[in-house]
């Protein structure tokens, strides 16, 4: 048995207890969620948040709902400010070890408290998922894996004054003190690669280490376009990559700090035979570069669906697994037993219906759509994640979910209050039957200074009268209709774009980790015409 297989077998064994616990819990989510709540309120009753909301008197799920109001993301800022100032026991009895930035589709980045208890909750869900994955296909354990290393990007948040460190060193930090080094030892690409600030150098280093891993079996990324962009860069650097592979050197394009170059170069080993074998290969065909590749895990819901299909077409014979809904704040769902059940052993969840009524996991109905609230060991209590999900069925007694999009994305230039959910529903109806590679509505200024909305569209064709029909759908919102009638908003425009997923991700990578980027039908920020290089067309 090779080293990777041995370490991955240990990883699978570590996840077995989490998988067993999840299987038992799936049958009775009400009991499981109630036990999670009791443990959280008892442990945190003497915190400032717990004292403020009477945790000591909470005996049931309903008591909790009555005493703790729904917490919008902005409400967290006050408590995080106290944590940054060094105040103990603000939200949790467990010390906050880090504050992790997260960037939503709209609005500024927020800081999420990270505790040992939250790490354990993540570990339960991820452990159950990976055990199920490796048990289903043991051949995945025969070689290294590439697990979602995202470029760090600019570290503006890390410069904030704080008694608690801000940011995460590398993605495997989420796995825990014991499991993280075990996983790191099986990775094809070392975590240090994410410290490269220049995006071209980051991509080059990632590709170089991946080429060293001839027996690569598994790739896990967030957005499928992230992997597509990596693969696109392969032929651009072909000669340089082959030379570095043969010599065991690291000579990335552009400027790289010397210490980073030395550290990464020291991890490379010369593979002249591998380089010679690859000289005859087509760098546009990834399956020839990694013949042992068996599975790619990535987002496939909402606006990631089309990029996922395009990625699948580039990787014939490689299975794509739809990743569950996982955010910086919480694990919501996970691939397990061929479905995507709620991570019922990890956190406490509530589901808001369209009327604003909250439901527990055992109360939701298949076929219905909800907005998610989460309570975690990191100090989030009835926290509004801003994500919409559809209940697709049940596994045991636990709901299975599909991510629909962001519920909290709102654009309000002059009182129109457009939401991501409304725009996505309109686009789903108007673009049905098309091959849509990218579709996003965003505000732009007209030459006369008036704001308006532009649909940036990359599709096999543009439907007739699309602008007129989209305008009519948006005008079903009376606030939008009034703003148009008053002349405050310009008419909606359609602008075809090319290679838009690349432009979108390249613009977004500077806002945070790629794992935080969620595809959206509506983006409330201006300036996308310049970022996407759209040609004007009405």
């Amino acid at each position: 048995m090779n080293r990777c297989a041995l370490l991955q077998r240990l990883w699978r064994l570590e996840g077995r207890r989490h998988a067993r616990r999840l299987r038992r819990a799936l049958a009775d989510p009400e009991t499981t969620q109630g036990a999670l709540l009791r443990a959280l309120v008892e442990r945190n009753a003497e915190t400032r948040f717990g004292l403020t909301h009477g945790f000591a008197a909470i005996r049931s799920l309903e008591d909790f709902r009555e005493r703790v109001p729904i917490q919008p993301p902005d409400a967290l800022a006050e408590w995080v400010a106290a944590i940054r100032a060094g105040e103990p026991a603000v939200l949790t009895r467990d010390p906050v070890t880090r504050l992790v930035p997260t960037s939503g589709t709209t609005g500024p980045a927020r800081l999420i408290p990270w505790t040992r208890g939250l790490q354990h909750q993540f570990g339960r869900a991820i452990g159950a998922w990976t055990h199920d994955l490796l048990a289903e296909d043991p051949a995945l354990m025969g070689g290294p894996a590439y697990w979602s290393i995202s470029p760090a990007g600019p570290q503006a948040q890390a410069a904030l004054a704080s008694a608690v460190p801000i940011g995460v060193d590398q993605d495997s930090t989420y796995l825990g003190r014991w499991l993280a080094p075990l996983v790191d030892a099986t990775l094809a690409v070392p975590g240090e690669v994410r410290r490269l600030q220049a995006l071209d150098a980051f991509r080059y280093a990632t590709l170089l280490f991946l080429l060293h891993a001839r027996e690569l079996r598994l790739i896990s990324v967030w957005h499928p376009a992230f992997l597509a962009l990596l693969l696109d860069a392969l032929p651009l650097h072909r000669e340089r990559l082959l030379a570095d592979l043969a010599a065991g050197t690291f000579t990335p394009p552009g400027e790289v700090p010397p210490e980073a170059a030395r550290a990464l170069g020291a991890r490379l080993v010369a593979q002249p035979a591998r380089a010679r074998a690859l000289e005859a290969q087509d760098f546009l065909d990834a399956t020839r570069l990694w013949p042992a590749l068996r599975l790619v895990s990535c987002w496939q819901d909402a606006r990631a669906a089309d990029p996922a299909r395009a990625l699948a077409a580039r990787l014939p014979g490689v299975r794509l697994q739809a990743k569950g809904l996982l955010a910086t704040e919480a694990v919501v769902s996970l691939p397990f037993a061929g479905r995507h059940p709620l991570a019922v052993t990890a956190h406490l969840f509530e589901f808001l219906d369209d009327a604003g009524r909250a439901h527990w996991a055992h109360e939701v109905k298949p076929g219905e759509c909800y907005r998610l609230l989460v309570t975690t060991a990191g100090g989030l209590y009835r926290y509004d994640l801003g994500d919409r999900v559809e209940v697709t069925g049940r596994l045991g007694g636990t709901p299975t979910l599909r991510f629909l999009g962001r519920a909290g994305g709102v654009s309000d230039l002059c009182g129109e209050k457009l939401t991501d959910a409304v725009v996505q529903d309109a686009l789903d109806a108007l673009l049905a039957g098309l091959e849509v590679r990218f579709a996003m509505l965003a505000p732009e200024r007209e030459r006369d200074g008036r704001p308006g909305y532009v649909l940036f569209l990359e599709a096999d064709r543009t439907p007739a009268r699309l602008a007129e029909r989209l305008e009519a759908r948006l005008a079903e919102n009376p606030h939008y209709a009034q703003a148009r009638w008053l002349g405050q908003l310009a008419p909606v425009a359609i602008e075809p774009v090319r290679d838009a997923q690349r432009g979108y991700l390249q613009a977004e990578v500077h806002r945070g980790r790629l794992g935080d980027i969620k595809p959206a039908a509506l983006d409330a920020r201006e300036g996308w015409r310049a970022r996407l290089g759209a040609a004007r067309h009405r």
Side-chain angles (χ1 to χ4, degrees), residues 105-106 410-413 416 418-420 423 427 438-446 450-457 470 474 480 489-495 504 520-532 538:
T105 304
T106 61
V410 178
S411 183
D412 193 18
L413 302 177
E416 72 277 13
L418 285 181
T419 68
D420 181 79
V423 172
L427 295 182
F438 187 87
M440 182 179 77
L441 192 74
E444 289 284 352
R445 294 281 168 181
E446 296 300 302
R450 281 190 307 163
Y453 285 90
V454 174
L455 176 63
F456 297 100
L457 179 65
L470 179 56
L474 298 179
Y480 181 90
L489 283 176
V492 71
I494 310 298
E495 294 198 13
Y504 179 77
L522 173 69
D523 193 298
R525 296 165 295 164
E526 296 183 30
W528 282 107
R529 179 179 287 148
R531 296 187 191 103
L532 297 176
R538 289 192 176 275

Side-chain angles (χ1 to χ4, degrees), residues 18-33:
H18 298 304
R20 287 175 172 172
R21 178 177 180 177
L22 178 59
R23 285 194 189 94
R24 292 193 298 267
L26 290 172
D28 188 1
E30 182 178 8
T31 298
T32 301
Q33 294 278 277

Side-chain angles (χ1 to χ4, degrees), residues 106-306:
T106 61
R110 300 182 297 275
L111 295 174
I112 304 301
W114 186 261
T115 66
R116 188 173 181 182
L118 182 59
Q119 189 174 70
H120 289 163
Q121 290 184 330
F122 268 74
R124 289 174 203 159
I126 294 173
W129 166 42
T130 53
H131 178 273
D132 184 73
L133 183 67
L134 297 175
E136 181 185 23
D137 186 358
L140 289 171
M141 294 187 290
Y146 174 44
W147 285 89
S148 179
I149 296 175
S150 319
Q155 299 296 305
Q157 292 285 349
L160 294 173
S162 178
V164 176
I166 294 177
V168 174
D169 285 339
Q170 55 195 55
D171 296 341
S172 59
T173 301
Y174 290 101
L175 298 174
R177 186 176 301 175
W178 183 83
L179 192 55
L182 177 65
V183 174
D184 285 343
T186 71
L187 295 181
V189 180
E192 294 94 329
V193 166
R194 78 181 300 271
R195 300 177 189 273
L196 296 174
Q197 295 290 307
L199 191 56
D200 282 347
F202 164 79
R203 285 188 180 139
Y204 182 86
T206 300
L207 290 171
L208 181 59
F209 278 98
L210 286 176
L211 287 177
H212 274 75
R214 184 187 183 281
E215 293 298 319
L216 183 71
R217 302 296 174 94
L218 181 150
I219 294 176
S220 175
V221 296
W222 301 108
H223 200 293
F226 172 61
L227 180 55
L229 289 172
L230 277 176
L231 299 179
D232 288 346
L234 273 166
L236 302 177
H237 302 296
R238 177 190 176 99
E239 298 307 319
R240 186 191 294 261
L241 285 166
L242 288 175
D244 275 346
L245 181 62
T249 53
F250 177 53
T251 60
E255 294 291 329
V256 174
E259 61 277 11
R262 285 194 297 271
L264 289 170
R267 301 192 63 143
L268 295 168
V269 177
Q271 293 191 13
R274 168 81 165 144
R276 285 194 299 273
L278 291 180
E279 285 179 356
Q281 297 298 338
D282 180 1
F283 270 41
L284 295 174
D285 186 350
T287 58
R288 291 184 177 274
L289 304 179
W290 297 286
L293 182 62
R294 300 181 64 84
L295 183 138
V296 171
S297 170
C298 63
W299 283 336
Q300 296 184 42
D301 291 336
R303 289 297 164 189
D306 288 312

